[in-house]
Amino acid sequence: MTKNHIGALPASALIFCCRIFYLLTYSPRGPEYGGSASMTAFLAAGLVSIGLCAVFWGLLRRCGASGLPELFHRQGRVFAAFCELAVLLVLTGSALSTVMNASGFLTSAVYPGAGAQITAAAAMLVCAYGAYSGIEAVSRMALPVAAVFVAGLAVAAAGIAREIQPAYFTFAGAEAVPQVLELFFQALYHNTEVLLFLLLTDKVRGAGTAVYARGVLGSMTFYQLSILLVTVTLGPFAYVRSYPIYSMLAAAELSVVTRLDIINLLVWILVAFVRGAAYLYCMVGCVRRLAPGLRRSHAAAGVGLGMTALAWYLCGSLDRGLELWELWSGAAPFLLSAAIILLSVLAALAAGKKVKSCENG
Amino acid sequence: MLFDKLKREKRHTYEVPKRDPGLDQPLSPTLEDTLARLAQLTGQTADLQVNRLEVEGYKLAFVMFEGLVNYQTLILGTASDLHRLLAGQKIPSCLVPDRLCQELFMAGDKKKLRSFEELIQFIASGFAVLLIDGSPEGVALGVQGFSFRSIGEPASENNLRGSREGFAEPIRINMSMIRRRMKTPSLRMKLLKVGEKSRTDVCLIYRSDYADPEMVRRVEQRLREVRLDNLMDSGYLRPFLESGPFSLFSGTGVTERPDTLCAKVSEGRIAILVDGSPYAILLPCLFSENFQSMDDYAERPYYAVFIRLIKYLAFFLTILLPGCYVAAVNFHPELIPDQLLFRIAEAEQDMAFPLMFQALLIHFIYELMREAGLRLPRPVGHAVSIIGALVIGDAAVTAGLISTPMVMVVALTTISSFVIPSLYEPVTLLRLLFILLGGTLGLYGVVLGLAFVGVNLCSVTVLGVPATSPETPLSLYSLRDTLIRVGWRQLGQEQFIISRTAGADQNGEPADQNGEGQP
């Protein structure tokens, strides 16, 4: 048992912030059937994600492991190195896509014409500092960030209340099923938080599916509320906007403040920081397990500088950035994560049976 | 080559702190030998007084440092008692110290000593040491009479209500002030010596019924591991007690008030007094305590809540207002109401410098004036305020160096910083950081800076207690005395224990903080 103990609530807040990230740059594609398609898809994806976590966690417990890294290292150094490298690949892609998504949103909606490289590099450096500070600090910070998000949404709702038109919300019929399925898989693939959670379970006090589920259910609740709010205020106008939530906040008014898009900026950068820092922290862990003699500070510096350089390179060209985005929006990271987990579980179970058969003679 | 040069300079200019040699030597039974050795060790220093006398056939010598002893008590009390005690049946010289310790009652404190280290320690602390020819032991008599600053109002922690007593420099005086306020037998005071040469008295204060024993043990261990030549102030010890040297915020607190110290110790904290310093260290310290004061607990709850909210607002104002102003005007003018925007534009159009530079310039001038005001002699000090009003308030604006809205922003920022004096140092640096970030990256930079500061604060942990508790990790019940303050009828029913707050881990510091722990 390590000395690190993240409380259950900060851990749930961490999962909440990681999942809420994509909501803030949520961008509808195609006809939305009054927002209900998205709401249905995200709800289903969240529940499936909880189910998957329960299955994987159960398998881990069956192997007698408190976390994924422990499972990797049971099967020898070669197997462990292979798994750690695969995990490192997934984490690298997730961290990069977080920061580059951030940069893309900022340089298209908030600061048109600003340099994408500098925005991405600055964000990556701050995330690297967060990773260096440790997962306890990041998870402690996730709680107030989640509170700021909730408060921001409440203020936004107050500011845009005068524009609410309930008639904009319609329930989708059977014709929405293909789109619901498309959105469902999109939402499912977007989240590699199951892998993140299983990498951190040995540090979470009282870890279990309940911790993960609380984070997911919380994020799903606010997904539903946010999409509902966008739908009933912007209506069909939402479908033509690249970032409808940002547009909704820009149209909101409260007293002398004639626009509230600053809330989107504030909340989203903090959420991106928490997500990026969590992924970078896990990357530092992978690197240290691959090179056990490496000091934590050196590993964090190496990961931070390496990722900053990578982000700088990828943001240097729109094509390079889009290539990564297209790859990471698809099934690749999710399927790779699931494959790593299942492979290590199966290997552990097979090794367990072999030992038993040897004992039985 | 550069490293070699640095190493040579270090060896040449610096000395590793080490104990004075020869102090472990025991006292000689021969008085003259002891006195000769003492003169040799002290280099025949001018302030060492040796008064030889013969009483009832015993050769004695009083040894003391000039100015540290109360001569009246020594002569009228102790010296006169010697004749009474040593008259009559002659006892061996080696038994004289025991007899004096048992029967000499004019001196408040009597201790036997056997080595030169103890001898010098006692006479430097204001004791008069009596040496007897024929005995390898001396007797230290507590007849201190050195001058010290009287107990007065604390200079850095002003309150409208509550006690006006602040700590003084002598540690014993401070210990007595605490004992007088907490008459419980569970109050413990443990004395240590820190500083290889200064051998400064340091007192650990805690309550045995509330303080976690493991926490006390770790603090004591850290103090014993301190390697300093001289310990002149409690501030020297703080870095040795904190976990992260690069954190902007501290997990230890400082107080000049005995009532504050007693209140904190009653919550299971550990206090450290240092001889020669009127500031006591408290640990662990939560970040939210910077927004609390003794006045909060003397006022009615609704007013205390109002004042605390003002303090939190002041904190965010002082670190964020200049940076957000620079960012909003430069990069996000659409966020500013139209009428105000036109006024700002009108004011800025004739300025010689960009907004970020104006903000940095005016803060630099203000810090210069503040530092000058602290160091100037009092008769000249009022000139600083005149210069400030003229230079900043009038001349700089008229000359087009800074704009009027910027003067307003800086004035509000500066006033806000004085609302929370315990956070003045980090707030000053953060303000400059946010101005730079706001001026270069706009509100994006400001929010990134907030993220950086937030995680830096969340990483502060002292003795296993996170500084951001009870806000995060969240403890709903403990919030009754952070943002708000419930009434004494509720507060007084249970006592908050710091070692049991949310997130506290008494197995040790989180491994992340040590740098070498688990990934």
Side-chain angles (χ1 to χ4, degrees), chain A residues 250-267:
Chain A
E253 260 186 51
L254 209 63
S255 185
V256 299
V257 182
T258 53
R259 49 192 296 162
L260 295 175
D261 50 339
I262 184 73
I263 294 176
N264 197 138
L265 192 68
L266 169 71
V267 171

Side-chain angles (χ1 to χ4, degrees), chain A residues 2-5 9-10 106 110-111 118-120 122-123 126 129-130 132-141 143-144 203 205 256-259 261-262 265-266 269-270 273 281 284-286 288-289 294-297, chain B residues 246-247 331-332 334-337 441-445 447-461 465-468 471-474 503-505 507-519:
Chain A
T2 63
K3 287 198 273 186
N4 292 349
H5 281 149
L9 188 57
L106 281 170
V110 184
Y111 304 109
I118 191 73
T119 50
V126 178
Y129 177 74
Y132 168 75
S133 299
I135 196 63
E136 282 191 65
V138 175
S139 60
R140 278 179 210 157
M141 195 164 157
L143 207 48
K203 296 184 193 341
R205 196 183 284 135
V256 299
V257 182
T258 53
R259 49 192 296 162
D261 50 339
I262 184 73
L265 192 68
L266 169 71
I269 293 170
L270 290 174
F273 163 76
Y281 174 82
V284 171
C286 282
R288 289 193 74 207
R289 286 189 293 271
L294 199 57
R295 286 169 68 103
R296 189 178 68 88
S297 51
Chain B
F246 300 115
S247 179
F331 296 100
H332 304 270
E334 69 276 6
L335 292 178
I336 303 173
L441 296 175
L443 284 172
Y444 172 60
V447 180
L448 273 186
L450 259 183
F452 171 83
V453 170
V455 80
N456 186 279
L457 177 60
C458 288
S459 67
V460 174
T461 306
V465 177
T468 48
E471 286 85 7
T472 176
L474 184 65
D505 180 3
N507 290 328
E509 303 289 351
D512 281 352
Q513 304 296 323
N514 296 338
E516 299 305 321
Q518 297 287 327

Side-chain angles (χ1 to χ4, degrees), chain B residues 34-104:
Chain B
T34 301
L35 292 175
R37 180 70 182 136
L38 181 63
Q40 187 189 18
L41 280 172
T42 57
Q44 299 186 336
T45 182
D47 59 336
L48 180 68
Q49 285 184 334
V50 177
N51 296 320
R52 290 180 171 78
L53 62 159
E54 194 164 329
V55 176
E56 301 294 334
Y58 294 96
K59 283 189 185 163
L60 310 170
F62 276 105
V63 178
M64 67 205 83
F65 277 121
E66 187 179 348
L68 295 183
V69 165
N70 186 328
Y71 293 107
Q72 200 167 8
T73 309
L74 182 65
I75 294 165
L76 295 178
T78 309
S80 60
D81 259 355
L82 283 175
H83 284 278
R84 178 181 62 80
L85 290 170
L86 298 179
Q89 192 178 4
K90 207 163 170 66
I91 58 169
S93 299
C94 57
L95 295 179
V96 169
D98 286 324
R99 190 161 192 193
L100 292 176
C101 283
Q102 283 164 16
E103 297 182 32
L104 193 68

